[in-house]
Amino acid sequence: MERPTGSFYAPSPFGQNIEQNRTSISSSLSSSITAPRYRSVLRLIESRFHVLFPDINRANKATARLAALSEDMRILSLNAELLAGRSGRSGAAVRALTQYTRGLVRRLMDINDSVTGLRTLYGMSTATLRCLRYLRQIESTSALLGSALQDGRGRSAAIALERARQGYMTEMMSDIHGLTDGMHRLRTMIQVVDDIVAQAGSIATNIAAEAVSAQTHENDFTAVANAMRRYVEELRSMNDETARGLRGATEACDSMREIAVTLERQFRTRTII
């Protein structure tokens, strides 16, 4: 998804003239930051994070064994290739299948390197939640100061609050965009793993078929096929669990980004409703 236009990545026109418009800053800050609508939107975004955290954890735990599972499949393919070499012509097809398996394993290892980004996304979501809490603290401070922000005594405080609010809003929007884009990338990787699972399952079936004609090595090839099936089932289960976690997390991120972009747009026009 492309980032929405008119985001906080562009300098706020309000911030560009902050020194020249102190009176309007004080008035706008006092009226908009204490609006019930603004408070409810912040709470709504924060509520999405409470949905997001468990789903990211769920996906993260599900992928914890991906590296070890990839290594198990790699070792199995190497042992199967040695076995196929000892069996002569009857093991030629199995040898080719095990070489193809190692290609799948390399793809899994590449995916594992990318999936570790789940931990980065978790840290990013924690930072975004911190920004939200700071924004709510700014709102509470503004509410406590009340009318003092609109006269000479509170102008410097109003400017400081406005600068802080713009900074935290910029950081929050950047993190929300990063979170959402990261979730969609990870869901794409899950589809790749589904494809690998299907191919590895076919390899196990073909090795089992070759075992029938392997004569004295039939039991050995059957054991390889059974081990491959176990790994495939474990990989499929892991991928399904990861997909469920990412589905919930992505839905929460999409909803949160939509809400945040609306809030951002209202901020730019100073029309919090």
Side-chain angles (χ1 to χ4, degrees):
M1 295 179 65
E2 294 182 356
R3 289 183 175 175
T5 57
S7 72
F8 264 92
Y9 298 102
S12 168
F14 211 66
Q16 290 173 352
N17 301 306
I18 198 166
E19 297 297 338
Q20 295 90 336
N21 297 283
R22 293 189 177 190
T23 301
S24 61
I25 288 172
S26 301
S27 176
S28 177
L29 181 62
S30 179
S31 62
S32 64
I33 203 166
T34 59
R37 172 62 176 167
Y38 173 71
R39 292 196 299 267
S40 68
V41 169
L42 287 182
R43 285 195 295 269
L44 188 58
I45 295 174
E46 189 169 353
S47 72
R48 295 297 187 273
F49 269 100
H50 292 306
V51 175
L52 179 67
F53 280 128
D55 286 331
I56 290 181
N57 273 332
R58 181 181 188 179
N60 196 27
K61 289 179 181 178
T63 59
R65 211 178 117 59
L66 179 57
L69 186 56
S70 300
E71 180 64 10
D72 288 343
M73 291 177 64
R74 187 185 71 83
I75 292 173
L76 176 65
S77 68
L78 289 173
N79 290 335
E81 186 172 12
L82 291 174
L83 178 63
R86 290 197 299 269
S87 64
R89 293 178 60 184
S90 62
V94 172
R95 188 181 307 110
L97 289 169
T98 57
Q99 290 171 352
Y100 189 71
T101 300
R102 286 204 296 280
L104 296 181
V105 168
R106 283 192 293 271
R107 292 173 65 190
L108 281 177
M109 289 179 171
D110 289 341
I111 289 171
N112 180 68
D113 292 340
S114 299
V115 166
T116 55
L118 277 169
R119 299 178 182 88
T120 302
L121 292 178
Y122 186 86
M124 189 181 295
S125 61
T126 302
T128 309
L129 186 58
R130 184 177 64 248
C131 288
L132 273 168
R133 289 172 177 167
Y134 285 149
L135 286 168
R136 292 183 67 181
Q137 289 174 8
I138 291 171
E139 184 273 333
S140 298
T141 301
S142 179
L144 288 173
L145 292 175
S147 59
L149 292 176
Q150 300 182 23
D151 59 30
R153 296 172 301 162
R155 286 178 183 171
S156 60
I159 292 170
L161 287 173
E162 178 66 12
R163 284 173 172 165
R165 184 170 59 172
Q166 288 180 12
Y168 288 127
M169 185 65 74
T170 299
E171 184 178 346
M172 182 183 75
M173 290 303 300
S174 177
D175 286 347
I176 287 175
H177 285 306
L179 275 170
T180 308
D181 293 343
M183 289 297 173
H184 283 285
R185 285 195 301 272
L186 286 171
R187 289 192 70 179
T188 299
M189 292 176 196
I190 293 302
Q191 296 172 356
V192 175
V193 175
D194 276 338
D195 180 58
I196 292 173
V197 166
Q199 293 180 56
S202 295
I203 288 173
T205 300
N206 287 327
I207 291 176
E210 290 295 326
V212 176
S213 58
Q215 300 175 0
T216 58
H217 295 282
E218 178 179 355
N219 290 338
D220 293 330
F221 286 154
T222 298
V224 169
N226 290 337
M228 178 69 76
R229 286 180 178 134
R230 287 196 303 273
Y231 293 148
V232 167
E233 285 307 310
E234 187 174 351
L235 186 60
R236 179 181 289 111
S237 177
M238 179 206 73
N239 204 46
D240 288 346
E241 182 68 11
T242 304
R244 282 190 287 270
L246 288 179
R247 188 181 306 116
T250 303
E251 289 172 357
C253 279
D254 285 339
S255 174
M256 186 168 55
R257 176 152 72 175
E258 182 179 354
I259 296 167
V261 166
T262 300
L263 177 63
E264 178 189 30
R265 188 178 300 115
Q266 292 172 341
F267 246 84
R268 293 179 72 249
T269 58
R270 320 306 294 176
T271 55
I272 303 298
I273 58 174

